[in-house]
Amino acid sequence: MTLTSSDVTDDATRLSTQPAAVGAAGPSRQLLAPVRRTWRQLTSMRTALLLLFLLALASVPGSFLPQRNINPIKVQEYLAAHTTTGPTLDRLGMFDAFAAPWFAAIYLLLFISLIGCLGPRIRLHAKALRTPPPPVPRVLTRMPASERWETGESADEVLAQARTALNGWRVVQRDGSLSAERGYLRETGNLLFHVSLVALLIGIALGALMGFKGTVLVKEGDGFANAILNYDDITPGRLFTDDRLVPFSFGLQDFRATYADSGAALTFNADLTYKAGVDAPSRPYDLRVNHPLVVGGAKTYLLGHGYAPTVLVRDREGNELEQTVVCLPQGPTVVSTCAIKVYDAAGEQLAFEGIFTPTTIQDPATNRVTSVFPAPNAPALTVLGFRGDLGVDDGRPQSVYQIDKTRLEPIDDGTPHKLVPGATWTMPGGGSITFLDTTEWATFQVTQDPGKLVALIAGTGMVIGLCLSLFVRRRRVWVRVTPSAGGPDGAGRTVVEVAGLARTGAEAFTAEFAGLTGRLRGPVTAPPLTQETT
Amino acid sequence: MSNAALAGLSDDLLFLTVVLYAVSMLAFAGEQAARRSRVVAASASQAVLARQAAAARTRAMAGAGGAVTYAKPPAPEAPVVRSSRAGQIGLALAYVGATLHLGSIVTRGFAADRVPWGNMYEFSSAVALTAVVAFLVMVATGRVDRGLGAFVMLPAVLYLGLAGTVLYTAAGPLVPALDSYWIKIHVFAAILSSGAFLLSGVVALLYLLRARHDGQVAAGRVPRFPLSMGASLPAASVLDRVSYAVIAFAFPIWTFAIIAGAIWAESAWGRYWGWDPKETWSFITWVLYAGYLHARATAGFKGTKAAWIGVAAAGALIIDYYVVNIFVVGFHSYA
Ligand code: HEM
């Protein structure tokens, strides 16, 4: 026989706190009815399912279009290349897709739905945990698995055996019958999972609102103290205040990189000395990728590195200026571009555009230099000199990495000069530049995320909850014993009826149920009167 | 043995594996075809009986997958699993193939002196092994009939073939960002769950085929190829259950993989989540599987709709690994 769904909605067979399907409610004159209906609709499984799909769908554009939070330059390039569709996409928030209002709307609705659905479910489950398994239904054969047989043992003996067989179950004995249940942890796990989802969102929100991220470039031999003004770039959360910055400082003693023969990077190490506070002692730290420096709630990461050649520039009058210039790497062999500016040169200001090549080769035909390996095995600095006005007097901010050449004249007709360490180019018209040696720089990122721990705990809760929810099996079993008139020999006999219900793993339950009844009936028993395991 | 010799051995073992899987697939397909012709012969001679059985089957299907409605199945209209020489050979070859496959992965690890899942080629190979092993375990524990073998080995062969040619990368060291024990945990969990997810995707497709086939039979029509292949497949309710069981196994592992990845990202890049394309597609995959699990518990979405979600989720997984790695550059673009 088949159980229809209307048979299983009563208390005896309900094994989960899943919200019932929202039916079409009849017309109601109550003012609140539409509100209530909308709420029921919003917290239904169907809505949750729909919103989950919308969430998946809404995540797609952000994965194919460039995103400002990951690569703002790519976004600029995209906008420049797509002048018609670009601005429309931008207006729709497609380049900040995960911060866009439509994305937020979906996940907020989903979480409202989730919280709305969790409340009643937690209450129901708490009640189920306190309520003993329901009494034996009148007609046991209507249950998905049932069996009935007669035995010579007394009713009490059978019930005692049943209790032993149901060891580990929650068993309630009511006269002549047992109700047993197992696997409450399934629902507990499911609720733990969904509650952890809410906690995860809270953790993420905490980090986004109260967190901080800043990056800073430090040359070998230089240092950094954690203060807003010392950063090159910061992204504070909306509720972040400067006094939340953890006080610490570090110096970069040495940066080391090793490479495979192919040029692929093997290791990066930044040897730091740091102080965890103003008065704290100075300690060494080996900062690596995957090995950040942790001081209080602040973590310092190694982000990138590059070369900083030191040059000595003499002006016409012989004044010397030594500079260590940060050069920006342009590719895997770390060909780097440098901008050297001398504001205080006697007479006219001086500037040099430089190309730094760590392992230099020069094409004999074209004289072009390039690098064939990222390590400084044969470093060279190739410079192009300029003289004139650097254009800083009009007060406009200038990038240290770029030279404004509008009021500059090239020296030596713009001929590049390749300098190896120690080499000097004496410029026509006076002055010279000497490439002294090569040092390195590294960029660091400092982050503070007060929601991280909450998120981690929530994540752990999710995994545990899922495992319980997917692997624990909820079952309910009833045993009823009724003394019968007995057989032809007049001896008293007992009719045993057993029935069971499973919400999940129904195939496995057939075997479990057979095992249970087998244990109950013992090795020698009469054949069952009826058997209806399905 | 030198590292170069080990690397060579690993490559040779992979080649042998592909050959064995391919032959195993042919053997399974042979068994399948033999069964199909038996089923067709039976239904041709007893059209009335077949129609009755089909009607019974749709009745059973209506009840399948429900909360507690699992009635006694009607007279077994599904093809009886008969022992066939071809099927046994197919299974044996699959076992040997999986063993060599494991050998190929292990020797690769020794050759490169690290865990053998550091680039797309190694990763794909390990995912394929997981899918094949998951299938063999299901067969060994009696959860599913080995008749599915041809349908599992075919994608495995294609997948491994592509991995070994298009994605092939010589054994070598890892870039610094990958040198962390979290990567071992994260990627291992991702491999386990991905292999299982891909298997469930195949089974969900077979479910759809079988359900469509059953629908046609119930309507009194004779299904044509490719729907006719449905006749020799396990019953739709069985395929549905298998697909669910595999997803239920893989989903917590996938969840864990994402969390481990977030922990790794936090220690390598200073943020645990950044909507990098790779992270985004892992998330989409996760949400779709969550949707699948919900759908199975939501009235009106059981059966065919849930199966389509399972297929879509497996599609998202494939996009996650291949489309994103090859065409979209993100933080993860090392592989
Ligand atoms: C943030 C969005 C959500 C996600 C990611 C999610 C995810 C999941 C997953 C993965 C499962 C299967 C594992 C398990 O049984 O624990 C599940 C089950 C379940 N979810 Fe959700 N869920 C979400 C929101 C909701 C909402 C809003 C509801 C309320 C309508 C809900 C109700 C349920 C129920 C009742 C089950 C158990 C299904 C069963 O009995 O098999 N979930 N959810």
Side-chain angles (χ1 to χ4, degrees):
Chain A
M1 57 157 287
T2 307
L3 230 68
T4 63
S5 55
S6 65
D7 291 329
V8 294
T9 47
D10 67 329
D11 247 16
T13 50
R14 193 180 166 98
L15 284 187
S16 109
T17 61
Q18 185 183 320
V22 186
S28 162
R29 260 181 231 105
Q30 277 180 305
L31 214 65
L32 275 179
V35 178
R36 200 170 297 144
R37 199 162 51 237
T38 313
W39 179 248
R40 281 241 315 271
Q41 200 74 251
L42 180 63
T43 58
S44 74
M45 289 291 280
R46 248 163 202 286
T47 309
L49 190 56
L50 182 76
L51 288 171
L52 278 171
F53 283 122
L54 279 178
L55 187 64
L57 198 65
S59 307
V60 175
S63 73
F64 288 125
L65 291 170
Q67 296 295 299
R68 287 212 170 81
N69 65 329
I70 297 176
N71 197 338
I73 296 162
K74 277 259 169 64
V75 177
Q76 288 309 325
E77 286 171 6
Y78 188 94
L79 284 173
H82 302 80
T83 43
T84 42
T85 50
T88 312
L89 290 175
D90 200 11
R91 233 168 291 128
L92 291 173
M94 289 295 180
F95 303 112
D96 301 285
F98 300 102
W102 41 267
F103 191 74
I106 295 170
Y107 72 76
L108 287 180
L109 268 181
L110 184 55
F111 274 88
I112 292 171
S113 165
L114 176 57
I115 293 167
C117 132
L118 273 177
R121 290 186 60 204
I122 291 173
R123 241 174 294 126
L124 263 176
H125 186 53
K127 200 173 126 218
L129 286 177
R130 275 179 278 117
T131 318
V136 185
R138 220 167 34 80
V139 192
L140 279 179
T141 48
R142 293 186 62 195
M143 288 297 141
S146 64
E147 208 170 309
R148 185 168 178 272
W149 69 88
E150 260 187 30
T151 169
E153 289 168 284
S154 75
D156 286 345
E157 280 168 348
V158 174
L159 285 180
Q161 280 167 9
R163 291 196 81 111
T164 318
L166 291 168
N167 186 23
W169 294 54
R170 179 170 176 186
V171 182
V172 174
Q173 185 162 355
R174 299 184 179 88
D175 44 14
S177 74
L178 288 184
S179 307
E181 188 153 351
R182 185 183 84 176
Y184 294 86
L185 268 180
R186 178 186 189 87
E187 200 68 26
T188 311
N190 184 292
L191 293 173
L192 172 65
F193 168 75
H194 286 88
V195 168
S196 301
L197 277 177
V198 179
L200 179 66
L201 190 73
I202 294 174
I204 293 172
L206 262 180
L209 290 174
M210 318 246 286
F212 169 85
K213 186 173 92 180
T215 53
V216 60
L217 184 149
V218 181
K219 289 182 256 189
E220 276 174 332
D222 281 359
F224 167 80
N226 195 16
I228 292 286
L229 283 177
N230 292 343
Y231 282 101
D232 298 329
D233 183 41
I234 54 167
T235 19
R238 210 164 286 176
L239 301 180
F240 183 82
T241 47
D242 296 3
D243 57 330
R244 287 181 180 276
L245 274 187
V246 176
F248 74 98
S249 61
F250 66 82
L252 175 61
Q253 311 302 320
D254 189 16
F255 181 86
R256 290 171 288 127
T258 58
Y259 302 93
D261 291 341
S262 66
L266 290 178
T267 60
F268 295 129
N269 293 68
D271 292 336
L272 304 184
T273 49
Y274 75 100
K275 283 182 172 185
V278 188
D279 304 321
S282 184
R283 287 212 189 85
Y285 192 81
D286 172 25
L287 189 68
R288 296 183 305 256
V289 179
N290 287 321
H291 189 237
L293 167 69
V294 185
V295 180
K299 276 191 168 182
T300 306
Y301 300 85
L302 185 58
L303 268 195
H305 77 110
Y307 291 105
T310 305
V311 294
L312 180 73
V313 180
R314 287 187 198 82
D315 65 15
R316 278 177 187 154
E317 297 177 0
N319 301 313
E320 293 187 346
L321 178 80
E322 198 179 306
Q323 270 190 43
T324 301
V325 187
V326 170
C327 297
L328 300 180
Q330 305 295 325
T333 57
V334 204
V335 173
S336 311
T337 56
C338 325
I340 305 165
K341 304 185 198 181
V342 187
Y343 300 105
D344 302 329
E348 290 171 300
Q349 290 178 320
L350 287 174
F352 302 90
E353 270 186 348
I355 301 285
F356 177 82
T357 40
T359 300
T360 312
I361 55 160
Q362 188 163 21
D363 184 329
T366 63
N367 268 353
R368 286 178 64 113
V369 290
T370 190
S371 172
V372 289
F373 197 74
N377 296 338
L381 180 66
T382 306
V383 292
L384 229 143
F386 296 89
R387 219 177 245 138
D389 180 359
L390 279 166
V392 282
D393 299 330
D394 56 9
R396 267 182 303 132
Q398 265 195 2
S399 162
V400 292
Y401 301 113
Q402 268 162 11
I403 297 173
D404 176 4
K405 280 178 284 197
T406 43
R407 274 171 285 173
L408 292 176
E409 287 297 323
I411 302 170
D412 199 13
D413 298 328
T415 314
H417 290 266
K418 186 183 121 190
L419 304 174
V420 293
T424 301
W425 171 39
T426 307
M427 296 177 282
S432 68
I433 178 166
T434 307
F435 173 25
L436 295 178
D437 63 11
T438 310
T439 57
E440 287 176 73
W441 54 260
T443 41
F444 299 91
Q445 174 176 306
V446 180
T447 57
Q448 287 181 223
D449 184 343
K452 220 155 49 184
L453 187 65
V454 178
L456 182 64
I457 293 171
T460 313
M462 279 165 62
V463 175
I464 295 172
L466 272 178
C467 289
L468 292 175
S469 174
L470 292 168
F471 302 132
V472 171
R473 288 171 169 168
R474 183 91 175 257
R475 272 104 179 71
R476 196 172 277 169
V477 161
W478 292 277
V479 181
R480 178 159 54 211
V481 290
T482 344
S484 77
D489 54 353
R493 294 186 71 80
T494 308
V495 177
V496 184
E497 291 169 283
V498 184
L501 182 70
R503 207 172 88 78
T504 43
E507 343 67 76
F509 182 59
T510 310
E512 284 171 41
F513 188 76
L516 184 71
T517 51
R519 253 172 299 150
L520 272 180
R521 284 156 68 175
V524 279
T525 37
L529 298 179
T530 66
Q531 180 170 8
E532 198 150 338
T533 56
T534 46
Chain B
M1 220 193 264
S2 76
N3 282 1
L6 276 170
L9 176 62
S10 166
D11 294 352
D12 294 345
L13 284 174
L14 188 86
F15 179 74
L16 275 179
T17 305
V18 175
V19 171
L20 283 176
Y21 283 174
V23 180
S24 154
M25 174 190 81
L26 292 177
F28 280 132
E31 180 182 48
Q32 220 38 17
R35 273 194 211 171
R36 204 147 51 228
S37 58
R38 273 202 298 276
V39 172
V40 170
S43 63
S45 61
Q46 296 184 311
V48 184
L49 219 115
R51 205 158 298 164
Q52 278 172 354
R57 183 156 57 213
T58 34
R59 254 184 278 122
M61 273 192 15
V68 287
T69 50
Y70 51 103
K72 180 175 282 180
E77 80 294 335
V80 189
V81 187
R82 276 200 215 103
S83 202
S84 111
R85 179 63 48 83
Q88 283 167 349
I89 291 173
L91 198 59
L93 287 174
Y95 275 117
V96 179
T99 312
L100 296 187
H101 196 168
L102 181 67
S104 158
I105 291 175
V106 170
T107 46
R108 178 53 91 128
F110 280 112
D113 255 334
R114 55 170 170 76
V115 287
W117 49 73
N119 54 47
M120 264 171 86
Y121 157 67
E122 294 168 1
F123 189 87
S124 305
S125 175
V127 166
L129 177 64
T130 313
V132 170
V133 168
F135 169 68
L136 291 176
V137 168
M138 305 269 287
V139 172
T141 54
R143 278 167 169 271
V144 70
D145 165 27
R146 70 163 182 252
L148 289 186
F151 299 97
V152 173
M153 297 324 269
L154 175 66
V157 168
L158 292 178
Y159 192 62
L160 266 189
L162 277 179
T165 51
V166 180
L167 303 176
Y168 185 80
T169 319
L174 294 174
V175 300
L178 295 187
D179 185 15
S180 141
Y181 64 92
W182 276 109
I183 188 206
K184 295 170 192 155
I185 300 171
H186 163 69
V187 181
F188 185 67
I191 287 170
L192 272 189
S193 42
S194 304
F197 279 151
L198 291 185
L199 177 66
S200 84
V202 171
V203 178
L205 278 175
L206 296 178
Y207 167 88
L208 290 169
L209 189 130
R210 173 84 209 201
R212 179 86 52 95
H213 164 273
D214 291 354
Q216 294 216 343
V217 172
R221 275 181 282 156
V222 178
R224 291 223 211 103
F225 185 82
L227 286 189
S228 56
M229 291 195 300
S232 56
L233 287 173
S237 61
V238 172
L239 292 171
D240 179 51
R241 226 157 43 213
V242 167
S243 177
Y244 168 76
V246 176
I247 289 174
F249 161 79
F251 188 75
I253 304 177
W254 181 247
T255 309
F256 173 75
I258 294 180
I259 293 170
I263 295 173
W264 173 37
E266 200 270 339
S267 85
W269 302 324
R271 89 284 187 290
Y272 59 86
W273 194 266
W275 295 109
D276 161 71
K278 190 95 187 168
E279 291 166 349
T280 303
W281 277 95
S282 307
F283 173 76
I284 293 173
T285 306
W286 186 81
V287 168
L288 287 176
Y289 279 113
Y292 170 88
L293 292 172
H294 265 219
R296 286 203 27 124
T298 307
F301 286 88
K302 292 164 189 166
T304 308
K305 279 188 191 149
W308 277 115
I309 301 172
V311 172
L317 188 71
I318 290 171
I319 292 179
D320 193 10
Y321 285 139
Y322 300 103
V323 179
V324 170
N325 272 11
I326 297 169
F327 299 106
V328 188
V329 186
F331 250 132
H332 278 81
S333 55
Y334 47 80

